[in-house]
Amino acid sequence: MKHLTFNVCAIAGLGFSGLAVLLLLANLLSGNQFVDVILPAAVVSLVVGGAFSVRARLLSAKGRGPAKR
């Protein structure tokens, strides 16, 4: 498995969490018409985004985070 860097994990976590927000917004705008599909997809997206965020935090704690100037 490829070793992921801090930047990749942080951007992926932000992206998946943003996708969850967009899915929930789409659910709101559709008047809960597709709630059976959108809600589980949003929950999965939040879980994946959270996992990437935790991985980024662990990489930062190990000293492999962003370079300090």
Side-chain angles (χ1 to χ4, degrees):
M1 182 176 157
K2 181 181 175 184
H3 295 286
L4 299 174
T5 64
F6 170 82
N7 288 337
V8 170
C9 289
I11 291 171
L14 180 65
F16 277 107
S17 297
L19 176 64
V21 170
L22 287 176
L23 287 171
L24 292 174
L25 183 62
N27 183 43
L28 175 70
L29 294 176
S30 70
N32 291 334
Q33 191 172 7
F34 304 107
V35 71
D36 294 336
V37 176
I38 291 180
L39 193 59
V43 169
V44 168
S45 181
L46 275 176
V47 169
V48 172
F52 273 114
S53 297
V54 167
R55 178 70 179 148
R57 176 68 180 119
L58 291 175
L59 286 172
S60 177
K62 284 183 179 179
R64 297 182 186 158
K68 296 193 168 73
R69 293 181 184 190

